Amino acid sequence: GKDVAGVAAITTNLGLDIQAAAGIYANVSYNYKDKMPITSDNVNMTTSYNLLNAKLGIRQSISRHFDIDVYGGASNLTGTQYPLMVFVNQLPDAYLPAPLKTNYFAGINLKYNF
Protein backbone atom coordinates (compact mmCIF):
# COMPACT_ATOMS: atom_id res chain seq x y z
CA GLY A 1 0.00 0.00 0.00
CA LYS A 2 3.01 2.33 -0.12
CA ASP A 3 4.27 4.39 -3.06
CA VAL A 4 7.57 3.32 -4.61
CA ALA A 5 10.45 5.36 -3.18
CA GLY A 6 12.03 7.68 -5.74
CA VAL A 7 9.08 7.59 -8.17
CA ALA A 8 6.75 10.57 -8.56
CA ALA A 9 3.09 9.80 -9.23
CA ILE A 10 2.87 12.53 -11.90
CA THR A 11 5.63 13.76 -14.21
CA THR A 12 4.80 16.13 -17.06
CA ASN A 13 6.99 17.62 -19.78
CA LEU A 14 5.69 20.10 -22.33
CA GLY A 15 7.70 21.84 -25.00
CA LEU A 16 7.33 24.30 -27.85
CA ASP A 17 9.83 24.58 -30.71
CA ILE A 18 9.62 27.42 -33.23
CA GLN A 19 11.71 27.66 -36.40
CA ALA A 20 11.60 30.79 -38.62
CA ALA A 21 12.67 30.99 -42.25
CA ALA A 22 15.63 33.26 -41.45
CA GLY A 23 17.23 30.53 -39.30
CA ILE A 24 15.98 31.94 -36.01
CA TYR A 25 14.68 29.33 -33.59
CA ALA A 26 13.30 29.20 -30.05
CA ASN A 27 12.63 26.40 -27.59
CA VAL A 28 10.57 26.62 -24.40
CA SER A 29 10.08 23.67 -22.06
CA TYR A 30 7.99 23.21 -18.93
CA ASN A 31 8.57 20.36 -16.49
CA TYR A 32 6.40 19.34 -13.52
CA LYS A 33 7.26 16.62 -11.04
CA ASP A 34 4.89 15.61 -8.24
CA LYS A 35 6.11 15.03 -4.70
CA MET A 36 7.68 11.63 -4.13
CA PRO A 37 8.77 9.52 -1.18
CA ILE A 38 12.51 9.13 -0.69
CA THR A 39 12.20 6.32 1.88
CA SER A 40 10.29 3.05 1.52
CA ASP A 41 8.09 3.82 4.54
CA ASN A 42 6.80 6.98 2.71
CA VAL A 43 7.59 9.14 5.76
CA ASN A 44 10.12 11.41 4.02
CA MET A 45 8.95 13.19 0.87
CA THR A 46 10.29 15.70 -1.60
CA THR A 47 8.09 18.61 -2.62
CA SER A 48 6.52 18.95 -6.07
CA TYR A 49 8.09 21.47 -8.42
CA ASN A 50 7.74 23.27 -11.77
CA LEU A 51 10.63 24.22 -14.06
CA LEU A 52 10.64 26.59 -17.02
CA ASN A 53 13.56 26.65 -19.50
CA ALA A 54 14.08 28.63 -22.72
CA LYS A 55 16.59 28.93 -25.57
CA LEU A 56 16.84 31.35 -28.52
CA GLY A 57 19.27 31.08 -31.41
CA ILE A 58 20.06 31.51 -35.06
CA ARG A 59 21.49 28.95 -37.52
CA GLN A 60 23.02 30.02 -40.80
CA SER A 61 25.04 28.44 -43.59
CA ILE A 62 28.08 30.68 -44.04
CA SER A 63 29.58 28.78 -46.98
CA ARG A 64 29.26 25.48 -48.83
CA HIS A 65 31.12 23.67 -46.06
CA PHE A 66 30.41 25.69 -42.92
CA ASP A 67 27.29 26.25 -40.81
CA ILE A 68 27.13 28.35 -37.65
CA ASP A 69 24.70 28.24 -34.72
CA VAL A 70 24.70 31.03 -32.12
CA TYR A 71 22.38 30.64 -29.13
CA GLY A 72 21.59 31.70 -25.58
CA GLY A 73 19.11 30.63 -22.98
CA ALA A 74 18.21 30.09 -19.37
CA SER A 75 17.34 27.16 -17.12
CA ASN A 76 15.02 27.39 -14.12
CA LEU A 77 13.54 30.77 -15.11
CA THR A 78 11.21 30.78 -12.09
CA GLY A 79 14.00 30.25 -9.52
CA THR A 80 12.49 27.04 -8.12
CA GLN A 81 14.35 25.01 -5.51
CA TYR A 82 14.13 21.32 -6.40
CA PRO A 83 16.06 18.11 -5.72
CA LEU A 84 18.55 17.45 -8.53
CA MET A 85 19.47 13.99 -7.21
CA VAL A 86 17.63 11.89 -4.64
CA PHE A 87 19.37 9.02 -2.83
CA VAL A 88 16.54 6.61 -2.13
CA ASN A 89 16.37 4.81 1.24
CA GLN A 90 19.40 6.62 2.66
CA LEU A 91 19.08 9.39 5.24
CA PRO A 92 15.75 11.28 5.53
CA ASP A 93 17.27 14.27 3.72
CA ALA A 94 19.62 12.47 1.31
CA TYR A 95 19.34 14.58 -1.83
CA LEU A 96 21.33 17.19 -3.71
CA PRO A 97 19.45 20.44 -4.28
CA ALA A 98 19.69 22.08 -7.70
CA PRO A 99 20.77 25.72 -7.94
CA LEU A 100 18.07 28.07 -6.66
CA LYS A 101 18.81 30.87 -9.10
CA THR A 102 18.30 30.95 -12.84
CA ASN A 103 21.28 29.64 -14.82
CA TYR A 104 22.12 31.40 -18.09
CA PHE A 105 24.09 29.90 -20.96
CA ALA A 106 25.25 30.80 -24.45
CA GLY A 107 27.29 29.15 -27.14
CA ILE A 108 28.52 29.05 -30.69
CA ASN A 109 28.72 25.90 -32.80
CA LEU A 110 30.69 25.81 -36.04
CA LYS A 111 29.96 22.78 -38.22
CA TYR A 112 32.03 21.55 -41.16
CA ASN A 113 30.06 19.68 -43.87
CA PHE A 114 32.02 17.14 -45.94
Side-chain angles (χ1 to χ4, degrees), residues 3-113:
D3 292 333
V4 177
V7 178
I10 300 170
T11 300
T12 303
N13 296 295
L14 301 170
L16 176 66
D17 297 326
I18 299 170
Q19 179 86 32
I24 297 172
Y25 65 93
N27 310 87
V28 178
S29 66
Y30 166 78
N31 311 95
Y32 170 78
K33 190 170 240 183
D34 202 11
K35 65 181 181 177
M36 66 179 168
I38 59 173
T39 54
S40 294
D41 59 8
N42 287 185
V43 171
N44 302 294
M45 306 282 280
T46 65
T47 58
S48 62
Y49 60 89
N50 301 282
L51 295 176
L52 186 62
N53 307 311
K55 179 180 175 182
L56 178 66
I58 184 166
R59 287 186 195 110
Q60 294 287 318
S61 180
I62 54 177
S63 73
R64 180 176 170 211
H65 291 287
F66 287 99
D67 295 341
I68 192 165
D69 180 7
V70 180
Y71 60 88
S75 300
N76 194 8
L77 287 168
T78 56
T80 301
Q81 184 68 65
Y82 65 98
L84 183 63
M85 292 183 71
V86 176
F87 301 99
V88 179
N89 291 321
Q90 303 286 322
L91 302 171
D93 59 352
Y95 65 89
L96 295 176
L100 179 59
K101 296 181 180 178
T102 301
N103 290 304
Y104 298 95
F105 61 88
I108 299 173
N109 290 324
L110 182 64
K111 180 171 76 170
Y112 180 78
N113 302 306

